[in-house]
Amino acid sequence: MLRLYNTQIRDKQDFLPLEEGKVRMYVCGPTVYNYFHLGNARPFITYDTLRRYLEFSGYQVTYVQNFTDIDDKMINRARAEKTSIGELAERFIREYFIDADALNIRRASIHPRATETIPTIIAIIETLVDKGFAYEAEDGVYFDVSRMPDYGKLSRHNLDELASGGRELAGDEAGKRSPLDFALWKKKKEDEPAWPSPWGEGRPGWHIECSAMIKQHLGDTIDIHGGGQDLVFPHHENEIAQSESANGKPFVRYWLHNGFINVDQEKMSKSTGNFFTVRDLAGQFPYLVLRFFMLGSHYRMPINFSTELLQAAENGWNRIRTCLENLAFVAQNATGQADVASAEAAQQLSEAIRRAEADFVRAMDDDLNTADALAAIFELVRAANTAAAVPGLPAASLENASAALLKLLDVLGLDPQGLDERDAVPPDVLALVEARAKAKQARNFKLADELRAQIQARGFVVADTPQGPKVSRQ
Ligand SMILES: [Zn+2]
């Protein structure tokens, strides 16, 4: 039974979707004005992994992740770059997919954009105004927080405490009645993009976008809403206020929030300037090492970022890949002469597979504990390496272990074969390896040595094993 930590109740709960066998899930996506950094990548990777695990557990998942393609950051960046907001959005949506695809983040069922959702946004605001939850002011339409007594229920703030917190009236939202009220619609300022509405030309506020995209693509009540911890207040609180006031129904059943990535004990963020973009890091480490690194911690725990830790992650990831390569190699060259020792090793390996699968599921069921799930995978790696060293182990045993590892890795979005082409052995190197083997067979050791040197010059090493030559990147 999958249990998830629900921010709403501050505890783990059995996961029971609204409709049996189906999951409706929404995750706040990026504002597409720049490359995303490692901290931004955490929710994308976390909730992609949750989606994969839900599917692995037999659910049919409808997964929506939006693009915020209109807001202050978009407007300012487009101005600075002397481009249009539309072109800026197109460019960084493209860049988003380059990084996300390489991180093996599967595409969502739907990736709606705020600017494509304007009619639904306007319809919800109209409902809120009609029901008395929102009011029009000189510079926009605002949600009247005082009309919602349980405002703050997700973040556990109460209205009195918030009101006495002395939050200043934002200079550009002068028309609102209370500092806690928030903009649903912003009336057009000079040189800003705008859409027609019952309140004149303008653009949506940020929070209403998510409420509208959820309603349009998933309905009034969804099973899972995910995002970073920093979105609990005010963003998710405001989504609840808008959606529940407009629809009169519960909005989200399970609220999930991931922790931050810290650099020198401070949250990685664009505003403070201490961040590493995924694109830059991918120049130093394979993308999947970044994903592996992220999944090495429980998603609610903070991660302290350092290059040393990424290096350690790369070593761990390579241990898994080496094991798989070794299993394939030994299986290919298995002699098939089983004896008592190899029969026993085969038996132990199949028990190790069963144990690893059970441990993996137990860890993932416990609020998506990917750190423990990886530990289960490493137990299997150890058992497989031990078994593979026993002469005469049947090829089927090795292939079972390899299939089990690949299946579990796939749930975590870690694909050792697909994406790491930079490590693949090119055909010309394979030809050299073959030529060298022939030279050795013909006892032409001088030629064999020359060919070895050529292989090394191409960045590969060749090792002679009882099963034949084995080539790998230096
Ligand atoms: Zn959102």
Side-chain angles (χ1 to χ4, degrees):
M1 180 66 156
L2 173 61
R3 289 171 67 76
L4 294 172
Y5 185 92
N6 188 349
T7 308
Q8 182 89 63
I9 61 158
R10 302 286 197 278
D11 205 354
K12 290 179 198 170
Q13 254 181 328
D14 288 351
F15 176 68
L16 296 164
L18 203 56
E19 193 180 335
E20 206 186 318
K22 292 191 174 162
V23 180
R24 296 179 184 86
M25 181 170 167
Y26 182 87
V27 173
C28 297
T31 302
V32 282
Y33 73 108
N34 212 332
Y35 296 97
F36 63 86
H37 63 63
L38 201 62
N40 303 136
R42 195 172 190 190
F44 309 151
I45 292 172
T46 297
Y47 302 115
D48 173 64
T49 305
L50 174 59
R51 175 217 204 160
R52 286 167 180 268
Y53 186 62
L54 288 166
E55 290 183 351
F56 172 78
S57 309
Y59 291 105
Q60 190 190 321
V61 182
T62 309
Y63 184 82
V64 178
Q65 183 188 289
N66 72 302
F67 288 119
T68 294
D69 58 352
I70 176 71
D71 79 344
D72 290 342
K73 286 183 232 140
M74 297 288 303
I75 293 170
N76 295 337
R77 180 72 188 247
R79 255 179 218 151
E81 303 233 321
K82 297 196 171 28
T83 181
S84 73
I85 290 164
E87 275 165 27
L88 184 72
E90 285 308 323
R91 175 177 166 210
F92 282 107
I93 287 173
R94 222 167 32 239
E95 300 291 2
Y96 168 85
F97 281 126
I98 289 172
D99 287 332
D101 290 349
L103 286 167
N104 210 15
I105 294 166
R106 279 175 49 205
R107 304 241 171 157
S109 320
I110 310 165
H111 281 283
R113 302 179 190 188
T115 56
E116 296 166 351
T117 319
I118 302 287
T120 308
I121 290 172
I122 290 175
I124 297 176
I125 300 175
E126 281 187 298
T127 305
L128 289 171
V129 172
D130 287 349
K131 287 188 167 185
F133 287 106
Y135 58 89
E136 185 179 355
E138 198 180 312
D139 55 350
V141 181
Y142 293 95
F143 188 92
D144 184 350
V145 168
S146 72
R147 290 277 288 113
M148 199 192 169
D150 61 355
Y151 182 80
K153 64 183 173 182
L154 179 67
S155 56
R156 308 233 166 142
H157 287 106
N158 69 50
L159 279 175
D160 294 341
E161 173 204 326
L162 286 169
S164 64
R167 282 160 52 99
E168 299 280 311
L169 276 170
D172 58 346
E173 296 185 345
K176 59 189 186 182
R177 292 177 196 158
S178 151
L180 298 176
D181 294 350
F182 56 89
L184 300 167
W185 190 259
K186 299 178 178 202
K187 292 187 183 175
K188 182 178 159 69
K189 290 186 203 141
E190 215 172 307
D191 290 337
E192 278 189 5
W195 290 261
S197 84
W199 316 281
E201 289 204 313
R203 61 185 168 99
W206 171 39
H207 315 298
I208 193 72
E209 291 175 14
C210 288
S211 283
M213 289 187 258
I214 289 169
K215 186 177 176 73
Q216 183 167 325
H217 299 289
L218 294 168
D220 290 347
T221 305
I222 62 170
D223 295 300
I224 297 173
H225 192 316
Q229 230 169 45
D230 49 341
L231 298 184
V232 175
F233 185 86
H235 183 55
H236 290 161
E237 204 70 77
N238 293 350
E239 282 187 35
I240 295 173
Q242 298 159 159
S243 295
E244 296 196 347
S245 303
N247 303 329
K249 290 186 196 149
F251 177 43
V252 169
R253 293 158 54 78
Y254 300 86
W255 280 102
L256 269 55
H257 293 98
N258 61 275
F260 299 138
I261 295 193
N262 297 323
V263 186
D264 301 329
Q265 315 303 324
E266 255 187 75
K267 179 192 158 197
M268 187 180 287
S269 85
K270 279 193 185 113
S271 54
T272 54
N274 69 335
F275 65 89
F276 296 87
T277 65
V278 166
R279 186 66 56 87
D280 284 345
L281 288 170
Q284 294 169 262
F285 295 93
Y287 276 98
L288 284 188
V289 166
L290 304 181
R291 181 168 183 128
F292 180 90
F293 164 76
M294 202 85 85
L295 296 177
S297 300
H298 187 271
Y299 74 91
R300 283 191 288 116
M301 295 296 130
I303 296 180
N304 280 309
F305 169 85
S306 74
T307 315
E308 290 74 27
L309 288 175
L310 273 182
Q311 190 58 60
E314 180 160 34
N315 296 341
W317 176 231
N318 285 340
R319 259 165 62 212
I320 295 175
R321 297 180 57 209
T322 306
C323 171
L324 284 163
E325 276 170 30
N326 195 34
L327 290 176
F329 183 75
V330 178
Q332 245 170 38
N333 298 284
T335 58
Q337 283 162 349
D339 57 13
V340 176
S342 66
E344 195 177 311
Q347 175 63 24
Q348 280 173 358
L349 184 54
S350 69
E351 273 165 33
I353 292 171
R354 259 198 309 277
R355 205 164 44 240
E357 286 174 343
D359 288 350
F360 180 90
V361 167
R362 195 175 311 121
M364 293 295 276
D365 271 350
D366 182 17
D367 191 30
L368 210 70
N369 193 334
T370 53
D372 284 0
L374 279 172
I377 287 174
F378 275 112
E379 282 299 325
L380 182 52
V381 164
R382 256 187 294 278
N385 283 337
T386 306
V390 177
L393 193 80
S397 272
L398 298 157
E399 283 155 6
N400 287 345
S402 177
L405 279 170
L406 289 172
K407 182 180 74 180
L408 300 182
L409 289 168
D410 184 56
V411 177
L412 301 178
L414 295 167
D415 175 2
Q417 290 157 335
L419 297 164
D420 264 356
E421 278 162 11
R422 69 169 208 163
D423 282 357
V425 183
D428 58 329
V429 174
L430 286 175
L432 289 171
V433 172
E434 206 170 303
R436 177 178 167 273
K438 278 197 187 126
K440 275 187 71 182
Q441 245 172 13
R443 307 192 68 76
N444 186 347
F445 297 111
K446 187 165 172 283
L447 177 62
D449 283 347
E450 277 170 22
L451 289 164
R452 177 196 285 275
Q454 284 183 40
I455 293 164
Q456 271 175 352
R458 299 278 281 107
F460 292 83
V461 281
V462 56
D464 292 308
T465 76
Q467 289 88 6
K470 189 169 175 235
V471 61
S472 54
R473 191 174 272 278
Q474 259 174 342

